[in-house]
Amino acid sequence: MSAAPDHKPTFARLSLGDQLGRATPYLLIPALIVLGYFAIGAPTSWLTLTVSGLAMGMMIFIMASGLTLVFGLMDIINFGHGAFISLGAFMGISVLFWLSGWATAASLPLNIAAVLLAILAAMLLTGVVAWGFERVIVRPVYGSHLKQILITVGALIVLEELIHVIWGGQEIFLNRPPTLQGAVTFAGAALEKYRILAVVVGLAIFVALRLVLRRTKIGLIVRAGVQNDEMVEALGYRLKLVFIGVFIAGSALAGLGGVMWALYEQVITAGMGENMMILIFIVVIIGGLGSVEGAFIGALLVGLLQNYVAFLEPKIALVSNIGLMTAILLWRPQGMMPVVKGH
Amino acid sequence: MPDPILRLTDVATDIAQYHILKGVGFEVPRGQVTMILGRNGVGKTTTMRTIMGLWRNKAGRIDFDGTDLSPLSAAERCRAGIGYVPEDMGIFTDLTVAENMTLAALSGPPDAARLDWLFTVFPPLKTFWSSSAGNLSGGQKQMLSIARAMVEERRLYLIDEPTKGLAPAIVSTMVGALRELKRQGASILLVEQNFAVARALGDRALVMDDGRVTWSGAMSELSTDTGLQERLMGLSLEAT
Ligand SMILES: Nc1ncnc2c1ncn2[C@@H]1O[C@H](COP(=O)(O)OP(=O)(O)OP(=O)(O)O)[C@@H](O)[C@H]1O
Ligand SMILES: [Mg+2]
């Protein structure tokens, strides 16, 4: 038996081992990139594929970040998330068509302004729809995963049909604004401008989310709530209100991801979000339910692997991501950055 | 008894289909330490959780300092002035000690003078201030759980088995801390199995059995009457 440690004025830090343990998943990204280099052999193809994989990963991260928090915070499985991606894409693209003067001008500021307005409109719409969605669809099924799956899949279908009713049943083709088209050449490799932009935007969103989660009281409440919602309530916070905020913000991010994905693929369909959900769920699961950092790493791994494998062996691109998920879950069954549940 | 801070009247609580509390009634006097004693599984924790609003009572009244708590959520009960230390401590292990404490301070950052006081009562919290709370020992986690409830002044503290599984030296740290809290005028409702601790801190005692309060009175009366102890709890507290 020992008494409490002596009063020391120093602040102990996390031990080195702890810090390394937390950082290990980050190291998987450079490891995969190096692995890709040797597997592909041709440096210019490798560079192009790497940028493209990072861009895809960043967009998947933007779409997955909200879902993982909703999952972690309230234990809600929301398949309807895919509909917010599609809804965001259609809203954003409608705004771009409406602002076609700006969107097709050969002027970077006008193009950026048009895209920003499209994103703003998409996030507004998905945010508002999410607010209603939480009240009508999600709130009645707290606590029952089976009901959540059934009702949110139903809602996904209804929202997709709604998109068909409003925007018609056909896919819509679009062109990226002129200054976001084309590629820059770097070290002999052609790097699409838009992909570089996607990487920058994804990084910015990640840094911003991390800052909010680590540096603000609301972030503290969210992180604590993911671990032990009951205790957060007992400490005086109405977690339901926080959750509604997270749900709206997460859905708005899905809307943002939808616009970015639309500009990437240059075609949109009502089912585009639903099609993304497999990759998004893989990312959320391998990242660790409720972990934004885990989702970030997971999304980049998925994006990179998808691009490398599609180049090397196109037939097994999707299978490769399921393989990645299996490998990671064998290594860390709760995902790369597991959130310890308090109860 | 003049104006208790907390009064339960015929409180009944179900968990799933089970009737766990079957009409609990008692009062917690202001500025005193009231112990809840009783065998395992008789409903002590359920009583605490029901007061805190983590289980909803299906019947009865819970009056806290003149307000009926029934319509209030757990969060509102906390803001009404109740601090809670759950049996499982409820530490956020992914957060640092500092973040656990900051979260519990509802009106801005924790008060520096109060933190200094808590550091003198629980020195490890200062030592491990920036460390992950998940790395604390069991005793240190318990200190954090209590300090967290105390980071701002509350009118009533609900503390569920704070000495469970702790080494004797840490138990005496806990007793010292709770005594200090009481000296500052706080009212405390304390579930405790350790009889030495109960006797050292308790002003009044309630004994529970099978979802009811079967005895209440002065702690001194219970602690001197082994016959009463045996009748109420099936064993003499002296023996534990
Ligand atoms: N979540 C739950 N689901 C079902 N039954 C529960 C639950 N929590 C408690 N119970 C039951 O309620 C009864 C009272 O439990 P409670 O935790 O209040 O006892 P206690 O007096 O605190 O016991 P201990 O001294 O072991 O902490 C027990 O029979 C227990 O099995
Ligand atoms: Mg108990």
Side-chain angles (χ1 to χ4, degrees):
Chain A
M1 167 204 60
S2 66
D6 282 330
H7 185 118
K8 265 191 273 160
T10 52
F11 286 159
R13 291 242 131 238
L14 291 180
S15 72
L16 192 64
D18 266 7
Q19 288 185 358
L20 278 181
R22 279 203 77 75
T24 318
Y26 278 105
L27 299 178
L28 290 177
I29 299 169
L32 181 60
I33 291 176
V34 170
L35 203 71
Y37 181 82
F38 290 111
I40 289 159
T44 50
S45 310
W46 165 79
L47 190 55
T48 304
L49 289 170
T50 301
V51 171
S52 151
L54 289 175
M56 181 177 171
M58 291 292 183
M59 286 186 272
I60 295 174
F61 163 70
I62 292 172
M63 298 183 230
S65 55
L67 192 69
T68 196
L69 280 177
V70 165
F71 230 149
L73 199 57
M74 284 320 218
D75 206 19
I76 297 281
I77 301 177
N78 177 20
F79 281 89
H81 197 74
F84 292 109
I85 295 170
S86 305
L87 206 57
F90 277 85
M91 185 68 198
I93 297 319
S94 299
V95 169
L96 279 185
F97 280 131
W98 181 61
L99 292 174
S100 58
W102 289 8
T104 57
S107 146
L108 186 63
L110 283 183
N111 289 174
I112 294 284
V115 169
L116 280 181
L117 283 172
I119 285 173
L120 196 71
M123 293 180 80
L124 262 173
L125 177 71
T126 45
V128 169
V129 173
W131 176 75
F133 192 95
E134 197 279 334
R135 296 192 77 113
V136 177
I137 309 285
V138 176
R139 205 172 291 180
V141 293
Y142 275 122
S144 164
H145 282 161
L146 183 62
K147 285 186 193 165
Q148 286 162 18
I149 292 171
L150 293 175
I151 195 168
T152 59
V153 167
L156 172 71
I157 295 168
V158 169
L159 283 174
E160 283 180 6
E161 286 307 316
L162 221 67
I163 289 176
H164 283 148
V165 169
I166 298 172
W167 282 281
Q170 303 297 312
E171 72 254 277
I172 298 176
F173 293 91
L174 58 129
N175 287 317
R176 277 200 285 272
T179 53
L180 301 181
Q181 289 173 12
V184 293
T185 311
F186 177 80
L191 308 177
E192 269 192 52
K193 285 187 209 162
Y194 183 70
R195 291 181 182 169
I196 297 172
L197 180 71
V199 171
V200 172
V201 173
L203 263 181
I205 299 274
F206 175 62
V207 169
L209 273 178
R210 241 185 86 106
L211 276 179
V212 170
L213 284 171
R214 304 234 156 234
R215 295 286 149 83
T216 67
K217 187 79 175 253
I218 197 91
L220 195 55
I221 296 169
V222 170
R223 281 191 295 142
V226 169
Q227 265 204 287
N228 187 339
D229 49 356
E230 205 169 60
M231 196 62 220
V232 175
E233 292 272 340
L235 287 176
Y237 301 99
R238 268 142 294 190
L239 205 52
K240 286 260 153 65
L241 292 182
V242 176
F243 171 67
I244 295 170
V246 169
F247 193 85
I248 291 173
S251 304
L253 282 174
L256 164 63
V259 179
M260 293 185 63
W261 193 250
L263 287 170
Y264 180 66
E265 296 278 343
Q266 306 197 81
V267 57
I268 55 176
T269 67
M272 63 183 277
E274 188 186 332
N275 297 337
M276 293 304 292
M277 284 308 278
I278 298 176
L279 285 183
I280 291 173
F281 270 119
I282 291 178
V283 160
V284 167
I285 291 167
I286 65 180
L289 304 183
S291 166
V292 167
E293 279 180 64
F296 179 71
I297 300 167
L300 293 188
L301 292 178
V302 162
L304 286 167
L305 194 67
Q306 179 96 359
N307 276 271
Y308 291 154
V309 175
F311 176 80
L312 293 166
E313 204 60 65
K315 285 200 187 95
I316 58 166
L318 181 61
V319 183
S320 71
N321 277 314
I322 303 214
L324 174 73
M325 176 163 78
T326 312
I328 284 180
L329 292 185
L330 284 173
W331 170 47
R332 291 194 174 173
Q334 307 290 318
M336 291 184 290
M337 300 228 158
V339 175
V340 185
K341 280 278 177 187
H343 66 109
Chain B
M1 199 186 312
D3 188 26
I5 186 135
L6 182 76
R7 179 189 290 122
L8 275 70
T9 319
D10 278 326
V11 168
T13 301
D14 289 357
I15 302 178
Q17 73 271 40
Y18 304 107
H19 306 305
I20 308 293
L21 300 187
K22 305 168 180 175
V24 171
F26 63 82
E27 296 184 345
V28 175
R30 223 171 269 279
Q32 292 192 10
V33 179
T34 302
M35 314 297 304
I36 302 186
L37 304 165
R39 281 182 295 233
N40 292 118
V42 296
K44 304 183 296 296
T45 296
T46 307
T47 302
M48 299 294 244
R49 289 175 56 87
T50 304
I51 298 168
M52 200 60 218
L54 298 174
W55 297 129
R56 287 312 179 110
N57 53 312
K58 59 159 188 182
R61 273 184 73 89
I62 306 174
D63 289 291
F64 173 60
D65 217 359
T67 34
D68 178 13
L69 289 183
S70 305
L72 303 188
S73 67
E76 288 164 324
R77 294 180 200 207
C78 171
R79 285 174 188 267
I82 304 180
Y84 178 50
V85 180
E87 190 173 12
D88 66 5
M89 303 181 281
I91 297 299
F92 303 108
T93 50
D94 278 0
L95 307 189
T96 64
V97 171
E99 287 171 332
N100 270 274
M101 296 289 281
T102 305
L103 192 62
L106 293 171
S107 51
D111 175 65
R114 198 159 170 99
L115 270 189
D116 276 340
W117 169 60
L118 289 170
F119 287 155
T120 54
V121 183
F122 301 120
L125 298 187
K126 181 161 190 175
T127 313
F128 298 110
W129 185 243
S130 316
S131 307
S132 163
N135 293 346
L136 296 178
S137 74
Q140 290 161 348
K141 283 197 181 104
Q142 192 61 261
M143 294 182 198
L144 174 57
S145 186
I146 294 177
R148 190 177 60 183
M150 289 164 41
V151 73
E152 284 175 343
E153 208 175 320
R154 303 274 180 261
R155 283 181 288 165
L156 172 69
Y157 294 89
L158 307 177
I159 307 177
D160 199 343
E161 296 207 47
T163 65
K164 198 165 80 172
L166 298 191
I170 307 209
V171 170
S172 60
T173 305
M174 292 295 168
V175 170
L178 295 178
R179 214 178 248 144
E180 175 64 20
L181 191 62
K182 179 188 164 188
R183 203 187 53 73
Q184 298 182 355
S187 312
I188 302 174
L189 181 61
L190 183 60
V191 174
E192 186 53 73
Q193 305 274 29
N194 181 326
F195 190 60
V197 173
R199 194 165 40 191
L201 285 170
D203 297 305
R204 304 192 54 82
L206 313 160
V207 179
M208 289 188 67
D209 197 10
D210 191 25
R212 291 189 179 84
V213 174
T214 49
W215 186 87
S216 66
M219 185 69 217
S220 54
E221 190 182 332
L222 185 63
S223 62
T224 50
D225 190 339
T226 49
L228 184 65
Q229 292 163 21
E230 237 155 275
R231 192 157 52 73
L232 291 170
M233 287 171 274
L235 79 168
S236 158
L237 283 170
E238 297 290 1
T240 61

